[in-house]
């Protein structure tokens, strides 16, 4: 029933078929992506030719573009689609452009060569397979507006379009134009509605953001007065309930003055702070289109609170960094000072061994030895503060430790202060260094005694255990989070003068004191000891009521007796060879004198390089080495490894001002024979060397 390419006027039954096609197009008119292809296919089938549909570009009223094309031959259709994308139609240009301009159909028939000459070079080879012979360009006019154009074309040997074809195509186009116009209008309306819905949704999001911000935001039109936007923070700042309550009198005059002169491109800062009903605010004004102005109100109280919080966090960070730096400094000072004390204490103890025991010289040297011992005690405090103190970790019964110290505690407490003990049974047990924990107890008792006015008051020493959860542990001063579990508690409290919060916040600072003159590291040393044992501290104090210091240490099982080291007799050594490796010349000289007097053959090296060179020359000569851990250049660990490679059987005693675990951590498990802590006495030096060279 359909006409075929090469036919003339439409055959019988065309009107009925056309009515059916128009009905079909009307059903898909709400979807342009379906309507356009359907239109060109039905028109092309009806006319028996190829068909293109051209519609107006939405951004350029004089430009039309091909939106759909159809041909019964797939290869010809592919050519038409390729050409359509690069050949838009401009009103007044070419056959199709003139048809759009005149709003009248144009029929054109010519030899294929004429059409070929008008094509771009890229399409001419394909054109030769489908030579164009005839075309009709029919504008689509609806309600006096050109909505598009139907372009019909015949290829090959088919008959050219006739005048009857032109009249039929014009009649067909007039019927289709109204369907396309209505569909295009409906599509435009739907797009506008969708855009409006998106705009309304974006406006709703914007309104929610405006309400959610903590900044007061207001937009007003000044003449006539109209409030466009006012969020809750703005209403709260200006002291009104709703935007309708806002008037020119709600704003300070300086804000209105700035608003009248504000420009969109230059936001203005309202000078000075504004004392508004909702508190002190800062204001910014910016011009808006249509004679409106925007005002932003910033709550300075909230900003100042945030700023104070930021400054407080910064201060705490700087304080922590300062304490860390002091810890590093304290450890370095203690190490260097211990080297000095080796010479003082060692020389004093050696001199005592050569002097008559009851002579005046012996008494003077004894005082030197005592003073050096006190200085050594200070270096232990420094090392404790830096977390590098000397540890001999073993299970400790806290109750027993407190009882054994009771006599010393009573001596340390001035006046008529009363000491009370509240010791939990069974006794809490911790794994710790006895001397260090004794130092903690003594420091806490001394501080409690100093806090009691006129020596009258009560000092309570309590022990116990607690199953600590996260909430409980977070109340303690820690440098890292502690694990939950069972802890032993040591609490020292007093009924003394107490401290204000600003004072108690500084008690762990080195050399901080409220006693008029500094007493040393004090509680900072206590904190260093406790933290190095994996524990924590908490202080509670009220001015005029007293202070409580709560020490928390990890609890362990029952106390097991620790076997003491087997005493080693300091016997003549024969001619055992010992090398001392230390960068301090005074220490080397002292060791040489002491060991030579004891019968040892002593060699010296100022650093690791000299020691290695001596072993390379005589690897079998040396029975033992006294090796300093911290030296410039080649350190103790590297020197130790090199000596063991040269002489695997040599016995090395490491010496350091740091504690044994800190000093030997890098060479643990490598065959270290012994460790000697600085400062040492002559007796301790001789015992350490004799222990490693004595026959087994």
């Amino acid at each position: 029933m359909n006409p075929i390419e090469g036919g003339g006027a439409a055959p019988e039954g065309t009107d009925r078929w056309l009515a059916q096609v128009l009905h079909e197009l009307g059903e898909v008119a709400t979807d342009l992506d379906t309507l356009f292809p359907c239109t060109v296919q039905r028109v092309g089938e009806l006319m028996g030719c190829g068909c293109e549909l051209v519609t107006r570009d939405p951004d350029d009223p004089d430009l039309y573009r091909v939106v759909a094309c159809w041909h019964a031959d797939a290869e010809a259709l592919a050519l038409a689609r390729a050409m359509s994308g690069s050949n838009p139609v401009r009103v007044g240009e070419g056959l199709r452009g003139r048809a759009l301009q005149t709003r009248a159909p144009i029929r054109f028939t010519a030899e294929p060569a004429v059409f070929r000459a008008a094509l771009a070079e890229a399409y001419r080879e394909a054109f030769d397979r489908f030579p164009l012979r005839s075309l009709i360009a029919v504008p689509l006019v609806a309600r006096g507006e050109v909505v598009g154009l139907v372009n019909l074309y015949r290829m090959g040997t088919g008959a050219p379009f006739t005048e009857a074809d032109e009249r039929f195509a014009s009649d067909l186009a007039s019927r289709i134009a109204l369907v396309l116009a209505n569909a295009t209008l409906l599509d435009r309306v739907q797009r506008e509605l969708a855009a409006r819905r998106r705009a309304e949704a974006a406006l709703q999001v914007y309104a929610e953001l405006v309400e959610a911000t903590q900044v007061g935001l207001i937009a007003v039109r000044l003449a006539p007065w109209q409030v466009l936007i006012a969020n809750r923070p703005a209403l709260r700042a200006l002291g009104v309930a709703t935007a309708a309550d806002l008037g020119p009198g709600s704003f300070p005059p300086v804000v209105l003055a700035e608003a009248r002169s504000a420009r969109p491109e230059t936001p203005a800062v309202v000078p000075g702070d504004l004392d508004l009903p909702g508190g002190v605010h800062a204001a910014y004004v910016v011009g808006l289109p249509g004679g409106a102005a925007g005002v932003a109100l910033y709550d300075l109280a909230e900003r100042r609170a945030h700023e104070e919080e930021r400054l407080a966090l910064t201060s705490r960070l700087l304080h922590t960094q300062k304490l860390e730096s002091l810890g590093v400094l304290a450890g370095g000072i203690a190490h260097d000072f211990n080297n000095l004390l080796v010479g003082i204490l060692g020389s004093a103890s050696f001199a005592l061994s050569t002097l008559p025991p009851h002579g005046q010289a012996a008494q003077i040297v004894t005082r030197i030895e005592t003073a050096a011992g006190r200085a050594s005690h200070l270096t232990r405090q420094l090392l404790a503060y830096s977390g590098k103190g000397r540890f001999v970790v073993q299970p400790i019964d806290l109750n027993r430790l407190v009882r054994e110290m009771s006599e010393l505690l009573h001596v340390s407490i001035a006046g008529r202060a009363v000491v009370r003990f509240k010791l939990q049974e069974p006794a809490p047990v911790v794994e710790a260094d006895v001397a260090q924990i004794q130092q903690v107890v003594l420091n806490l008792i001394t501080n409690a005694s100093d806090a009691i006015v006129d020596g009258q008051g009560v000092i309570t020493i309590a022990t116990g255990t607690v199953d600590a959860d996260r909430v409980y542990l977070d109340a303690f001063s820690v440098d890292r989070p502690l694990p939950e579990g069972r802890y032993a508690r040591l609490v020292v409290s007093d009924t003394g003068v107490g401290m204000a919060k600003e004072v108690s916040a500084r008690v762990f600072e080195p050399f901080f004191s409220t006693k008029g003159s500094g007493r040393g590291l004090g509680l900072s040393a206590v904190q260093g000891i406790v933290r190095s044992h994996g524990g924590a501290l908490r202080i509670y104090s009220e001015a005029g009521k007293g202070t409580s210091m709560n020490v928390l240490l990890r609890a362990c099982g029952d106390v097991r007796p620790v076997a003491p080291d087997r005493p080693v007799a300091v016997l003549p050594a024969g001619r055992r060879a010992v090398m001392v490796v230390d960068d301090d010349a005074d220490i080397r000289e002292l060791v040489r004198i002491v060991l030579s007097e004891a019968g040892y053959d002593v060699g010296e090296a100022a650093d690791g390089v000299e020691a290695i060179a001596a072993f390379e020359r005589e690897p079998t000569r040396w029975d033992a080495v006294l090796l300093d851990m911290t030296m410039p250049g080649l350190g103790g660990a590297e020197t130790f490894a090199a000596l063991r490679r040269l002489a695997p059987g040599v016995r090395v005693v490491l010496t350091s001002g740091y504690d044994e675990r800190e000093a030997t951590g890098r060479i643990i498990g490598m065959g270290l024979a012994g460790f000697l802590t600085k400062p040492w006495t002559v007796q301790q030096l001789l015992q350490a060397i004799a222990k490693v060279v004595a026959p087994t």
Side-chain angles (χ1 to χ4, degrees):
M1 185 67 189
N2 294 359
I4 60 173
E5 187 164 340
E12 293 183 5
T14 299
D15 288 340
R16 185 172 63 255
W17 191 36
L18 179 59
Q20 180 181 348
V21 169
L22 292 174
H23 175 73
E24 181 181 347
L25 296 180
E27 289 184 341
V28 298
T30 57
D31 182 8
L32 296 183
D33 291 337
T34 304
L35 175 62
F36 290 162
C38 184
T39 299
V40 294
Q41 180 178 351
R42 292 295 181 259
V43 171
E45 290 173 345
L46 184 61
M47 295 294 296
C49 63
C51 180
E52 291 179 339
L53 177 62
V54 179
T55 62
R56 179 181 293 169
D57 189 303
D59 299 322
D60 187 348
D62 291 332
L63 188 67
Y64 288 73
R65 298 186 181 276
V66 177
V67 294
C69 52
W70 180 87
H71 198 282
D73 187 285
E75 192 173 357
L77 176 60
L79 174 62
R81 285 175 175 169
M83 294 174 59
S84 64
S86 60
N87 289 282
V89 181
R90 186 165 292 279
V91 176
E93 297 180 1
L95 291 175
R96 295 178 296 176
R98 289 200 297 274
L100 290 170
Q101 185 179 44
T102 61
R103 301 192 175 190
I106 294 179
R107 175 168 52 90
F108 182 78
T109 300
E111 290 300 321
V114 176
F115 291 102
R116 189 178 190 278
L119 289 178
E121 186 67 33
Y123 301 113
R124 290 179 180 179
E125 183 179 349
F127 177 85
D128 292 339
R129 295 197 302 274
F130 304 97
L132 184 64
R133 287 185 54 82
S134 183
L135 63 80
I136 302 177
V138 185
L140 300 173
V141 182
R143 303 186 188 95
E145 180 183 0
V146 179
V147 297
L149 178 137
V150 171
N151 187 43
L152 306 172
Y153 56 90
R154 284 180 176 161
M155 300 177 176
T157 59
F161 287 116
T162 65
E163 185 177 349
D165 291 330
E166 181 181 335
R167 289 195 303 271
F168 181 76
S170 298
D171 179 57
L172 179 61
S174 65
R175 302 190 191 192
I176 293 175
L178 188 60
V179 176
L180 294 179
N182 290 338
T184 303
L185 178 62
L186 177 61
D187 181 72
R188 185 184 308 135
V189 170
Q190 289 176 336
R191 291 177 184 273
E192 290 177 353
L193 288 175
R196 179 177 298 180
R197 284 193 293 270
R198 289 194 297 270
E200 290 174 349
L203 186 61
Q204 179 63 30
V205 172
Y206 173 75
E208 292 174 358
L209 289 175
V210 169
E211 285 297 332
T213 182
Q214 297 301 310
V215 178
L217 298 176
I218 309 162
V220 296
R221 184 171 287 112
L222 301 175
W225 179 264
Q226 181 184 4
V227 179
L228 305 175
I229 295 174
N231 65 357
R232 282 189 295 270
L235 299 177
R236 187 166 55 249
L238 296 171
V240 298
T242 65
D245 299 325
L246 287 175
S250 304
F251 296 84
V254 65
V255 175
L256 293 178
E258 291 288 348
R260 291 189 184 97
S261 60
R263 298 179 179 274
E265 64 276 8
T266 54
V269 179
V270 177
D273 296 341
L274 304 178
D275 191 5
L276 302 178
V280 180
H281 287 68
Y284 299 82
V285 179
V286 64
L288 299 175
V295 181
L297 299 174
Y298 292 84
D299 188 343
L300 294 182
E302 185 174 350
R303 178 183 290 184
R304 285 169 181 165
H306 289 320
E307 181 65 15
E308 289 174 0
E309 182 180 359
R310 185 188 67 80
L311 291 175
L313 289 173
T314 302
S315 177
R316 286 199 291 271
L317 176 61
L318 292 175
H319 178 70
T320 301
Q321 291 174 340
K322 180 179 71 174
L323 292 181
E324 289 177 353
S325 299
L326 284 172
V328 174
L329 178 63
I333 291 173
H335 175 267
D336 293 343
F337 196 45
N338 272 335
N339 277 345
L340 297 176
L341 289 177
V342 169
I344 298 172
L345 190 59
S347 297
S349 61
F350 180 72
L352 279 177
S353 68
T354 63
L355 292 172
H358 303 296
Q360 186 177 9
Q363 294 176 7
I364 294 174
V365 174
T366 300
R367 289 174 187 168
I368 295 174
E369 188 178 42
T370 302
R374 290 174 180 170
S376 175
H377 174 75
L378 178 59
T379 62
R380 284 198 297 272
Q381 282 192 320
L382 285 168
L383 288 171
Y385 173 72
S386 67
K388 297 182 178 180
R390 178 174 181 263
F391 292 129
V392 179
V393 177
Q394 62 188 47
I396 299 173
D397 181 329
L398 280 184
N399 290 0
R400 182 185 302 170
L401 182 142
V402 171
R403 291 192 188 100
E404 290 175 351
M405 292 184 66
S406 59
E407 185 63 31
L408 179 60
L409 297 179
H410 283 292
V411 172
S412 302
I413 296 170
R416 289 172 287 174
V418 177
V419 180
R420 294 178 180 171
F421 296 93
K422 293 183 178 180
L423 308 180
Q424 173 186 293
E425 295 294 346
V429 179
V430 297
E431 284 194 349
D433 178 85
V434 174
Q436 297 278 335
I437 302 304
Q438 287 174 340
Q439 185 67 48
V440 168
V441 176
L442 189 58
N443 280 19
L444 295 181
I445 294 296
T446 302
N447 276 276
S449 175
D450 290 341
I452 295 177
V453 179
D454 299 328
Q456 298 185 35
V458 178
I459 298 174
T460 303
I461 306 173
T463 62
T465 55
V466 60
D467 291 318
D469 58 14
R470 178 53 48 205
V471 175
Y472 182 84
L473 292 171
D474 286 344
F476 283 76
S477 171
V478 295
D479 56 350
R480 63 179 63 88
L482 297 179
E484 299 180 12
R486 178 167 286 267
Y487 285 82
R489 294 172 61 240
L490 172 66
V491 183
V492 178
S493 54
D494 63 72
T495 58
V497 295
M499 292 177 284
K501 287 185 177 180
E502 59 270 17
V503 176
S504 63
R506 299 186 59 194
V507 295
F508 296 117
E509 294 182 12
F511 303 103
F512 175 77
S513 176
T514 60
K515 305 165 188 174
S517 60
R519 299 291 188 91
L521 293 168
L523 289 177
S524 63
V526 171
Q527 186 181 56
I529 293 171
V530 172
R531 287 184 173 178
S532 63
H533 282 80
L537 277 170
R538 182 174 66 182
I539 181 172
Y540 177 78
S541 185
E542 289 187 33
K545 294 185 178 181
T547 301
S548 177
M549 294 293 300
N550 193 337
V551 178
L552 210 62
L553 297 169
R554 289 288 290 181
C556 64
D558 297 334
V559 175
R560 293 180 298 277
V562 178
D565 290 338
R566 179 172 58 90
V568 177
V570 182
L571 301 174
R575 295 304 296 176
R576 297 296 181 95
V578 178
M579 175 178 287
V580 54
V581 186
D582 200 302
D583 60 307
D584 191 305
D586 292 337
I587 293 178
R588 294 198 307 273
E589 178 66 13
L590 175 62
V591 173
R592 185 188 63 78
I593 293 172
V594 172
L595 295 184
S596 296
E597 284 289 326
Y600 291 94
D601 179 11
V602 183
E604 298 180 40
D607 54 35
V609 175
E610 288 188 12
I612 293 171
F615 266 73
E616 288 175 341
R617 290 192 301 269
E618 300 177 286
T620 60
R621 173 185 172 185
W622 308 102
D623 298 296
V625 177
L626 182 65
L627 175 63
D628 185 28
M629 184 61 184
T630 307
M631 296 181 294
L634 201 63
E638 294 81 4
T639 303
F640 174 80
L643 297 182
R644 294 285 291 183
R645 285 195 298 271
L646 293 170
V650 69
R651 313 298 301 277
V652 178
V653 176
L654 197 66
T655 180
S656 174
Y658 294 131
D659 79 281
E660 182 173 353
R661 290 190 302 178
E662 176 76 18
T664 62
R666 295 175 57 190
I667 57 177
I668 190 169
M670 295 173 62
L672 186 65
F675 183 81
L676 183 61
T677 303
K678 294 180 179 180
W680 36 257
T681 65
V682 168
Q683 185 70 10
Q684 290 169 339
L685 171 64
L686 293 174
Q687 286 183 342
I689 298 300
K691 185 176 180 179
V692 300
V693 300
T696 56

